[in-house]
């Protein structure tokens, strides 16, 4: 386990959050969504990060973009370098330039995407490796660009369950050496790769994954995860992590959890 360090996160307040279309199996536009409650739950998540000593930057939400709260999909940021995103679905396309200009204005070197890639939803830094999901959203072809832009080895992981359509819904990086994941969300070959790379991984149960337990944010010590994922929290505690439960039930109606709401900004100075 590595020591927790102050992290820099980018978040987007869910002012215009709604479920207006269906681009993953969790989204039911006929169901009721309480936007005020979503904002409250999001505020609690933000405050949890602040209490842990992390910095939270905010990108202003835009009307007409109900999924913009899911900042993890806004970019991938490693070593101070940014790969901008290109969304699979037209409903989210206009989020890409908004996130792109936020990073440009903040002074980052921004690379344009050549293929569909949904940022940290599918591209996760684990130690020196970049784990890259494909199968539902990010195109396999994007993985080559990810490797070229960041100069970290990219490991392709094939997602097979539509409920776990982004890598960050099926796998959580706990620290530089370990991950937690739901084996059956991956193809047999990718499961073998994960066993080889992370023999000590925490294996999640279907019950934990079903409440988005793997959509968690770890700083190497504290793991912020949905409060409903009690089994996973217990496993993490046994392994020496400090699980912190938050309730994001409203945002789950769009297929999102804590990690989806959180983009990690990794500057040159903080390393990896
Ligand atoms: N409704 C959003 C979508 O389907 C949810 C995105 C969740 N983000 C994530 N990083 N998994 O695109």
């Amino acid at each position: 386990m590595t020591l927790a360090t102050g992290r820099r996160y980018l978040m987007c307040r869910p002012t215009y959050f709604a479920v207006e279309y269906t681009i993953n199996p969790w989204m039911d536009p006929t169901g009721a969504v309480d936007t005020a409650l979503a904002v409250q739950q999001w505020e609690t998540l933000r405050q949890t990060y602040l209490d842990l000593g992390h910095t939270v930057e905010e990108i202003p939400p835009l009307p007409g973009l109900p999924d913009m709260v899911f900042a993890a999909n806004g970019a991938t940021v490693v070593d101070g370098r940014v790969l901008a995103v290109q969304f699979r679905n037209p409903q989210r396309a206009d989020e890409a330039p908004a996130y792109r200009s936020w990073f440009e204005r903040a002074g980052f070197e921004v690379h344009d995407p050549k293929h569909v890639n949904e940022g940290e939803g599918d591209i996760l830094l684990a130690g020196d490796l970049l784990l890259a999901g494909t199968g539902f959203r990010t195109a396999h072809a994007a993985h080559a660009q990810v490797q070229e832009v960041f100069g970290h080895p990219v490991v392709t992981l094939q997602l097979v369950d539509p409920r776990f359509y982004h890598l960050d819904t099926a796998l959580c990086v706990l620290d530089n050496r370990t991950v937690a994941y739901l084996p059956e969300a991956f193809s047999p070959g990718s499961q073998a790769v994960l066993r080889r790379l992370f023999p000590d991984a925490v294996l999640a149960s279907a019950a934990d994954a079903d409440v988005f337990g793997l959509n968690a944010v770890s700083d190497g010590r504290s793991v912020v995860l949905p409060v409903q994922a009690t089994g996973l929290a217990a496993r993490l505690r046994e392994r020496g992590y400090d699980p912190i439960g938050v309730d994001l039930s409203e945002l789950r109606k769009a297929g999102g959890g804590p990690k989806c709401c959180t983009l990690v900004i990794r500057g040159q100075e903080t390393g990896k």
Side-chain angles (χ1 to χ4, degrees):
M1 196 171 317
T2 45
L3 267 189
T5 48
R7 302 226 160 170
R8 191 173 170 205
Y9 295 135
L10 179 62
M11 297 180 73
C12 180
R13 187 175 296 269
T15 313
Y16 305 106
F17 176 68
V19 177
E20 291 170 354
Y21 45 78
T22 306
I23 56 172
N24 70 54
W26 305 86
M27 301 176 84
D28 173 9
T30 65
V33 170
D34 184 340
T35 305
L37 179 57
V39 171
Q40 239 176 60
Q41 293 178 335
W42 179 90
E43 297 254 12
T44 306
L45 177 65
R46 179 176 167 278
Q47 191 58 47
T48 302
Y49 293 141
L50 297 176
D51 293 344
L52 287 169
H54 303 308
T55 303
V56 177
E57 312 266 1
E58 282 185 52
I59 178 172
L62 296 172
L65 296 175
D67 272 337
M68 193 170 169
V69 58
F70 300 118
N73 299 125
T76 306
V77 191
V78 178
D79 303 330
R81 228 168 281 161
V82 176
L83 176 60
V85 299
Q86 184 183 321
F87 284 92
R88 167 79 54 193
N89 299 288
Q91 293 94 332
R92 298 195 65 185
D94 289 346
E95 295 177 40
Y99 279 98
R100 193 191 193 291
S101 21
W102 190 90
F103 279 101
E104 267 181 343
R105 278 198 301 269
F108 286 83
E109 170 192 326
V110 181
H111 296 256
D112 282 318
K114 291 190 185 143
H115 307 277
V116 168
N117 94 74
E118 298 201 350
E120 266 208 346
D122 275 322
I123 302 158
L124 296 171
L125 187 70
D128 278 329
L129 300 177
L130 281 163
L131 306 179
T134 189
F136 298 101
R137 298 293 182 85
T138 295
H140 185 209
H143 295 185
Q145 186 186 13
V146 169
Q147 176 160 291
E148 211 47 45
V149 167
F150 297 115
H152 287 262
V154 168
V155 177
T156 290
L157 297 170
Q158 194 73 43
L159 295 163
V160 295
D161 182 337
R163 289 174 314 143
F164 306 113
Y165 55 94
H166 276 139
L167 181 62
D168 71 359
T169 65
L171 181 146
C172 164
V173 176
L174 295 172
D175 57 37
N176 287 344
R177 288 194 312 253
T178 322
V179 301
Y181 66 98
L182 176 72
E184 55 265 42
F186 296 90
S187 67
S190 296
Q191 290 184 34
V193 167
L194 287 168
R195 283 196 299 271
R196 200 179 286 275
L197 286 175
F198 306 108
D200 298 329
V202 174
L203 301 184
S205 67
D208 286 322
D210 285 350
V211 290
F212 260 62
L214 289 163
N215 198 250
V217 179
S218 174
D219 61 18
R221 186 177 64 200
S222 301
V223 184
V224 178
L225 80 174
V227 69
Q228 294 84 359
T230 49
L232 183 60
R235 302 289 316 281
L236 292 172
R237 201 170 290 115
E238 275 162 30
R239 297 280 289 259
Y241 298 95
D242 185 15
I244 302 175
V246 292
D247 189 4
L248 289 189
S249 57
E250 284 310 298
L251 294 161
R252 198 161 78 224
K253 295 176 178 172
K259 177 67 192 86
C260 300
C261 295
T262 313
L263 179 59
V264 187
I265 304 176
R266 298 183 191 83
Q268 217 110 46
E269 69 287 352
T270 52
K272 54 193 184 198

